[in-house]
Amino acid sequence: MEHYKGLVKRLKDRSFRLVVVGGGYVGLPVAVEFAKRGVKTTVLDVDGRKVELINAGKSYIEDIPSDELAPLVEEGKLSATTDRHAYRGADVVIITVPTPLDAEGNPDLSYVLSAMNALKEYLHPGMLISLESTTYPGTTDEMVDLLEETGLKVGKDFFMGHSPERINPGDPVWKFHNTPKVVGGVEPLSTDLMVRLYSIAVEKVVPVSTARAAELTKLLENTFRAVNIALVNEFAMISHKLKVDIWEVIEAAGTKPFGFMKFHPGPGVGGHCIPIDPLYLLWKVRRLGLDAEFIALADRINKGMPDFVVSLLEEALREEGRDLSKEKVLVVGVAYKKNISDTRESPAYRIVELLRSRGTKVLYHDPYVPQFMGLKSMPLDRALSETDTILIVTDHDNIAWDLIGDKAGIILDARNALRKRGIRPLGRLVVL
Ligand SMILES: NC(=O)c1ccc[n+]([C@@H]2O[C@H](COP(=O)([O-])OP(=O)(O)OC[C@H]3O[C@@H](n4cnc5c(N)ncnc54)[C@H](O)[C@@H]3O)[C@@H](O)[C@H]2O)c1
C-alpha cells in the first residue's frame, strides 16, 4: 500500500509531476488543463517542432489559443521535451500517442509500443500510467504484461488504467474539462487512482470496473456514430433515387421528441476516430472467431460516399451536356470536418483522387489547410473566377459562402452548407 498511499497524497496536494506523452490534438489540451490547475506538467513528444512551439508559448491546435498556453509556459507550469529522461521524474504518465491502422487495415500499435518500451526503461515504484489512446479491449492489460517484465507489479508497485479520450476538436461547448471522463483501472487501486487523477481536471469522472470496459466504452460510442452516419448516408442514396430531399426528411423526423436522434449525411467520414476505431474492434472480434457485421457494413457504406458524391456531380454535369473529365472543379473544404485543419482520413482525398482519375482539373479552397495533395489553397474569389463547377466537401464557418451563392454554375453541396445558411444560389444547386 505504500506506493498507493504516496500517490494518493501527491494527487491530493497536486505535488505530482505529470508527463503527457504525445502533444497532439488530445495531448496538448490534456496537458494545458492539468497545468492550469497547478500541476507541473511536461509534454514529451518525438516531434521537435511541436516541442519548440510549446516552449515558445505558441499553440498549433485551434482549440488552444496561444494566450492560454503562453502564461502556463512562462510560469513554469508547462514545458515540453523530446528527451525520454522525462519519464524518470514522473509520478503520473498520460499516453496520447496515435493509434492508426496499418497498410492492411489492422491496428497499428507501434506508437503505443514505442512509448511503452521507452517508459519501461524508467518505470519506478509509485508511478500511475493512464493510456488514453483509443484501442481494442485488452490493450492496457497487454501493456501491463510488458511493464511487469521489469519485475515491478501492478497494483503494488505501479498502477495503470485506461481512460478513453472524448475530446471533440472544434467543439465550442464540450471541452476536456466539462466532458465526463470514463476511467477503468486494471485492478481496483488503479481505478481509484485514475478517479483521483482526472477529478483534478475534469468536472465529472465515471469509473468502470476494468480497463477493458473503458476501452470498449469508447468503441461503442464511436461505432454508434459510424453506424448511424452510414444509415443516414444509405438513406441519402435511397432518397436521391426516390427524388426526395433527405435533409427535409431528417428535419421532419427530428421533431419526434423521443426515440430518434438526428444524424446527417455527408461525403464520407474522416479524422482519427470514426473511420478507424470501429475497425480496431472488428479486428479484435475476428480474432475471437466472431464477426461484427454492423461495423463492416458501416465501413463499406461510409467509404463509398466519395464515389457517390463524384457520381452525383458527373450526373448533374451530364444533364447539362457537360463532361466531368473536361471540367475544372473547385473543391471547397478539405479538412475532415468543419472549423479545424485536420485532414487525416478526410474524404476529400478520395474525392480529389477520383476527380483526377477522370482527368478533371482540381482547385481547392480551405482557409484552414494551406496545402493538400500537391495543391495550394486558392483565395476563394480567384478560384471562383476560374470555374463555376463547385463541390462543397467541408462547411467551415469562415468560408465566404455568399460569394459561392452568387456564382451561376453547378454547385454540389455534400454538407447542405448553403441552404443551412439561408443562401439560395444563383446557379444550380445539387444537394446530397
Ligand atoms: N483527435 C481526436 O479528435 C481524438 C479524439 C479522441 C481520441 N483520440 C485518440 O487519441 C490518440 C491521439 O490522437 P491525436 O489526434 O492526439 O494524435 P496526434 O497525431 O495529433 O498526436 C499524437 C502525438 O504523439 C506524438 N508521438 C508519437 N509517438 C510518440 C512517442 N513514442 N513518444 C512521444 N510522442 C509520440 C506525435 O509526434 C504527435 O505529436 C489516438 O489514439 C486517437 O485515436 C483522438
Side-chain angles (χ1 to χ4, degrees):
M1 292 296 267
E2 169 201 348
H3 299 306
Y4 163 77
K5 283 187 182 153
L7 267 169
V8 168
K9 184 180 171 300
R10 285 195 291 283
L11 290 170
K12 204 169 192 175
D13 62 21
R14 299 187 188 184
S15 62
F16 66 97
R17 293 186 69 106
L18 171 65
V19 170
V20 176
V21 187
Y25 286 94
V26 168
L28 189 59
V30 169
V32 162
E33 214 52 54
F34 276 98
K36 276 200 311 208
R37 283 158 176 80
V39 176
K40 204 155 168 60
T41 304
T42 305
V43 173
L44 172 60
D45 201 299
V46 290
D47 184 341
R49 191 190 54 95
K50 284 184 183 159
V51 165
E52 269 176 33
L53 285 170
I54 294 174
N55 287 333
K58 292 187 184 143
S59 175
Y60 44 86
I61 303 277
E62 288 92 17
D63 289 342
I64 305 287
S66 292
D67 52 15
E68 194 179 331
L69 179 70
L72 298 170
V73 175
E74 276 158 30
E75 288 160 28
K77 286 185 191 139
L78 183 68
S79 63
T81 182
T82 54
D83 186 353
R84 52 164 66 183
H85 282 83
Y87 286 120
R88 197 193 298 280
D91 301 296
V92 178
V93 176
I94 296 180
I95 295 173
T96 70
V97 297
T99 44
L101 297 171
D102 66 16
E104 277 82 49
N106 296 323
D108 172 4
L109 280 192
S110 60
Y111 299 93
V112 173
L113 279 169
S114 142
M116 283 295 170
N117 279 313
L119 165 61
K120 189 178 162 189
E121 284 178 39
Y122 298 94
L123 186 70
H124 53 259
M127 242 180 167
L128 169 64
I129 301 142
S130 169
L131 180 61
E132 286 210 13
S133 301
T134 308
T135 184
Y136 57 81
T139 310
T140 310
D141 294 328
E142 288 170 18
M143 296 307 139
V144 165
D145 293 343
L146 180 82
L147 295 178
E148 285 193 332
E149 286 170 10
T150 56
L152 297 178
K153 288 279 160 243
V154 78
K156 179 173 160 280
D157 302 312
F158 72 98
F159 304 88
M160 182 146 189
H162 184 81
S163 180
E165 184 47 64
R166 286 170 159 171
I167 240 162
N168 186 22
D171 192 320
V173 177
W174 297 108
K175 307 281 181 192
F176 179 72
H177 72 277
N178 63 356
T179 305
K181 193 98 173 93
V182 172
V183 300
V186 296
E187 48 75 49
L189 290 181
S190 296
T191 307
D192 174 273
L193 290 170
M194 293 282 284
V195 173
R196 291 173 192 269
L197 169 66
Y198 285 102
S199 299
I200 294 169
V202 181
E203 285 165 16
K204 186 175 162 61
V205 177
V206 183
V208 291
S209 61
T210 59
R212 278 168 186 261
E215 288 160 338
L216 192 56
T217 302
K218 172 75 183 179
L219 299 184
L220 173 60
E221 290 166 12
N222 280 358
T223 303
F224 174 85
R225 273 190 74 70
V227 167
N228 279 288
I229 292 169
L231 176 68
V232 85
N233 278 339
E234 187 169 73
F235 261 74
M237 291 187 271
I238 294 168
S239 303
H240 177 67
K241 285 281 175 216
L242 293 173
K243 301 202 184 320
V244 176
D245 182 344
I246 184 63
W247 300 90
E248 184 186 12
V249 171
I250 293 166
E251 283 311 305
T255 60
K256 187 178 178 188
F258 50 87
F260 183 80
M261 188 185 273
K262 279 201 268 182
F263 282 83
H264 295 107
V269 291
H272 200 321
C273 295
I274 308 299
I276 293 176
D277 302 352
L279 299 184
Y280 265 67
L281 184 58
L282 184 62
W283 176 86
K284 180 72 182 175
V285 163
R286 285 186 174 156
R287 279 172 64 104
L288 297 172
L290 301 167
D291 211 348
E293 293 179 50
F294 270 119
I295 295 178
L297 179 61
D299 184 54
R300 186 155 60 75
I301 293 176
N302 290 335
K303 281 206 177 105
M305 289 312 287
D307 296 67
F308 179 65
V309 165
V310 171
S311 74
L312 279 186
L313 181 62
E314 193 162 28
E315 185 183 298
L317 286 162
R318 204 183 307 120
E319 283 165 8
E320 301 201 351
R322 291 161 66 180
D323 179 353
L324 178 62
S325 67
K326 301 202 171 66
E327 292 288 329
K328 209 185 245 187
V329 172
L330 168 62
V331 173
V332 176
V334 294
Y336 83 86
K337 69 171 181 178
K338 69 179 194 169
N339 303 340
I340 62 166
S341 60
D342 196 349
T343 60
R344 288 177 296 180
E345 313 289 327
S346 171
Y349 283 105
R350 174 83 184 138
I351 288 173
V352 171
E353 201 178 276
L354 283 167
L355 291 171
R356 283 176 172 167
S357 72
R358 302 277 211 289
T360 312
K361 190 162 187 313
V362 180
L363 319 170
Y364 89 95
H365 170 71
D366 190 317
Y368 288 91
V369 186
Q371 287 177 15
F372 186 74
M373 295 181 82
L375 299 170
K376 283 199 172 123
S377 173
M378 281 179 83
L380 187 57
D381 49 356
R382 220 178 81 212
L384 289 171
S385 70
E386 289 204 17
T387 183
D388 61 0
T389 306
I390 299 159
L391 201 172
I392 298 170
V393 174
T394 314
D395 56 338
H396 297 303
D397 288 325
N398 63 354
I399 286 175
W401 295 105
D402 288 338
L403 285 185
I404 296 175
D406 288 346
K407 195 75 192 170
I410 290 184
I411 305 172
L412 175 60
D413 189 349
R415 299 281 186 186
N416 202 25
L418 296 177
R419 294 191 309 183
K420 209 161 56 189
R421 292 171 173 82
I423 297 171
R424 298 269 170 254
L426 289 178
R428 178 172 167 210
L429 178 67
V430 181
V431 286
L432 191 63

